[in-house]
Amino acid sequence: MKRKLNILVCCSSHNSNEESINLLAKRVGEFIALNNHNIVMGACSKGMMGIVLDEVKKNPECQIFPKGLEAYYDDYAKFGEENPTSTTILYSRLGDRKKALTDSSDIAIVLPGGIGTFDELFSSAEGKRAKEHNVPIFLINECGFFEPLKEQLETMVRMGFATKKDRDMFNFCDSYEELMTKISEIKD
């Protein structure tokens, strides 16, 4: 794939206690910057999201498309000061913000994270299941972080609460290198 992508990055506003996960955030940001892609994000410059953003900002050709929530306005005001070339779009409803994230994206990369990361992940998956979008969802399983999710999805299929097609929306990558291979296989 050679075209410029709008890449949704879902990850934490906190740093991980596992240094390899923080390094993964840096590598994802480097990938976006080195390939002149754009980043779609939740308008946070702290934690792992800040690590990704710091790398992306090294390339002035990369655009930043932040989507914020009015409830967190103080965080976004600071984000705007730190990133004057981006325009944060604020949403009053969380559901509208999450829809805007996928509507603005060509692919989604999900790194290990917390409640907000999982919320964005499952909103993206449900939107895809409802045929609102067809954004590929890639999860990087660093340190085995997503193993319990893989097991839960298998249990849901086995018990009849989800289909194999539902399960297969989640593209698990066991390494950064596997992610790069899967992204390169996407057809324009």
Side-chain angles (χ1 to χ4, degrees), residues 23-91:
L23 178 59
L24 178 63
K26 182 177 184 351
R27 292 182 78 189
V28 167
E30 288 171 344
F31 162 74
I32 294 169
L34 291 172
N35 290 281
N36 296 318
H37 296 309
N38 299 321
I39 185 170
V40 179
M41 56 180 290
C44 178
S45 56
K46 299 185 285 187
M48 288 174 52
M49 198 70 248
I51 294 171
V52 174
L53 187 60
D54 285 346
E55 295 304 315
V56 172
K57 290 192 309 188
K58 291 178 181 177
N59 181 346
E61 297 296 314
C62 296
Q63 293 181 352
I64 303 166
F65 299 115
K67 311 292 183 197
L69 190 64
E70 289 175 357
Y72 300 124
Y73 178 78
D74 291 341
D75 290 339
Y76 303 132
K78 184 177 182 212
F79 182 90
E81 292 169 10
E82 295 169 351
N83 303 283
T85 60
S86 70
T87 302
T88 302
I89 299 173
L90 293 178
Y91 296 88

Side-chain angles (χ1 to χ4, degrees), residues 150-164 167:
K150 287 166 111 175
E151 291 173 21
Q152 184 61 48
L153 289 167
E154 290 301 327
T155 299
M156 292 162 65
V157 170
R158 187 180 73 251
M159 292 186 168
F161 296 114
T163 66
K164 290 180 181 180
R167 178 200 60 208

